[in-house]
Amino acid sequence: MNRLLITGAAGALGRALRPRLCGLANEVRLSDLADVIDLTEHEHFVPCDLADHAAVVDLVQGCDGILHLGGISVEKSFDAILEANIRGVFNIYDAAHKAGQPRILFASSNHTIGFYPPGQTLQPDVPLRPDSLYGVSKCYGEALARMYYDKYNQETAIVRIGSCFPEPDSRRMLSTWLSYDDLASLVRRVFAVRDLGCPVIWGVSNNDGVWWDNTPSEALGWKPRDNAARFRAKVEARLPHPDPEAPDTRFQGGGHAVKPVRAHD
Ligand code: NAI
Ligand code: 15L
């Protein structure tokens, strides 16, 4: 592709993906509220608040693909979530529509289904059970993606990311972990496949005892290779006695399920 836009480029996943996506696009437009540093010759930085409609319209112009990572990535007040994740994702879709409908990868989250119990195997079309306002905002983003697909044929990969960190650091993450390398290979598949549609894909590595079934999206041809099992002994040594009452033991989304809902900061 000629130009890929990465929103949220200053964040953890943006920083992890930039070197791993080398060669995917001739030019990468990086955007965030925060500064992005150490640009390569193929990268350009455009600061932008996702909540600013006019700025997002300008940002998306001329892009052939959008990796939408930007926004609030943890539980926050409704005021905060509203601007970054509700207004922000609408602005991305409206801007994409005005810019010829570049393919989008939307970074959704396991917190859309966080109230399901660990161990229950979920299909991508399971009824949503968000565990937080953050999770609700990702449900909204997923619904918006689906509406733009049904109404305008705008293609999106809705990726429900589990826990994407350098390594799993809890027993829950032994199931939910997604390695940076597996995320990068998923991004490459999403932008390479001829017909994408609007699938929901579980963003999870090839972990033993994974809770999420990606069989319906096999046509994408993505094969995650990492497995959290290699960290099991380390995690269990650090956390030898799981508490049966702890949120991590009771909910797929872990601690988000017990965080209070707040209107304002
Ligand atoms: P992060 O919090 O490190 O990065 C998000 C970036 O978005 C930050 O650099 C922040 O400055 C930027 N941002 C926030 N509000 C903005 C606004 N109004 N305008 C422009 N930029 C704004 O999050 P991380 O871990 O990199 O996650 C990336 C995406 O993936 C997020 O959408 C997150 O919800 C999603 N995700 C991440 C998971 C993980 O395990 N890291 C799991 C599930 C979903
Ligand atoms: C997410 O959606 C968050 O962005 C990340 O910070 C983690 O909480 C992750 O899910 C997780 O569930 O481990």
Side-chain angles (χ1 to χ4, degrees):
M1 102 176 74
N2 190 36
R3 190 179 292 117
L4 172 70
L5 168 64
I6 304 181
T7 68
L13 298 193
R15 291 194 307 274
L17 284 173
R18 280 170 57 204
R20 288 174 170 84
L21 296 181
C22 191
L24 176 61
N26 297 330
E27 185 190 320
V28 182
R29 185 176 289 173
L30 304 170
S31 186
D32 204 295
L33 276 178
D35 278 351
V36 175
I37 49 169
D38 301 333
L39 300 175
T40 68
E41 59 176 321
H42 301 290
E43 294 176 329
H44 301 272
F45 175 55
V46 181
C48 177
D49 182 348
L50 290 164
D52 180 339
H53 182 264
V56 176
V57 168
D58 286 348
L59 177 70
V60 169
Q61 275 301 329
C63 293
D64 311 297
I66 303 175
L67 176 53
H68 183 45
L69 304 174
I72 303 284
S73 64
V74 292
E75 180 62 332
K76 285 254 170 93
S77 71
F78 181 70
D79 287 345
I81 298 269
L82 176 62
E83 293 307 315
N85 291 19
I86 302 292
R87 222 181 270 292
V89 74
F90 172 76
N91 288 343
I92 286 289
Y93 275 86
D94 191 48
H97 188 64
K98 291 176 164 66
Q101 306 204 142
R103 187 174 282 183
I104 297 174
L105 188 156
F106 171 56
S108 185
S109 170
N110 72 88
H111 295 289
T112 53
I113 51 80
F115 263 115
Y116 283 95
Q120 182 173 343
T121 302
L122 304 185
Q123 300 298 321
D125 61 355
V126 71
L128 297 172
R129 293 181 69 184
D131 57 21
S132 50
L133 288 178
Y134 165 66
V136 170
S137 76
K138 294 295 186 181
C139 295
Y140 167 81
E142 292 192 3
L144 199 68
R146 187 69 214 186
M147 185 200 74
Y148 270 93
Y149 180 63
D150 287 336
K151 202 178 279 269
Y152 298 122
N153 217 23
Q154 160 74 58
E155 292 191 303
T156 300
I158 296 169
V159 181
R160 281 189 197 144
I161 302 173
S163 305
C164 195
F165 294 95
E167 59 183 74
D169 70 355
S170 66
R171 286 171 180 263
R172 168 182 168 269
M173 282 196 203
L174 293 173
S175 290
T176 61
W177 185 58
L178 171 65
S179 72
Y180 289 157
D181 286 344
D182 282 338
L183 175 58
S185 70
L186 173 57
V187 174
R188 285 181 180 276
R189 279 313 300 159
V190 162
F191 288 109
V193 73
R194 206 172 71 121
D195 298 310
L196 177 67
C198 189
V200 173
I201 301 153
W202 298 108
V204 69
S205 282
N206 186 31
N207 306 327
D208 294 352
V210 75
W211 303 325
W212 307 321
D213 184 1
N214 259 333
T215 312
S217 58
E218 269 176 356
L220 182 65
W222 176 55
K223 297 215 183 317
R225 304 209 177 276
D226 282 313
N227 187 333
R230 71 189 154 98
F231 298 102
R232 178 172 292 279
K234 187 173 168 187
V235 169
E236 290 182 352
R238 202 168 57 76
L239 305 163
H241 306 296
D243 172 0
E245 298 306 318
D248 264 20
T249 323
R250 293 158 56 210
F251 309 110
Q252 292 197 2
H256 280 59
V258 295
K259 292 202 166 122
V261 172
R262 287 178 302 118
H264 314 291
D265 284 315

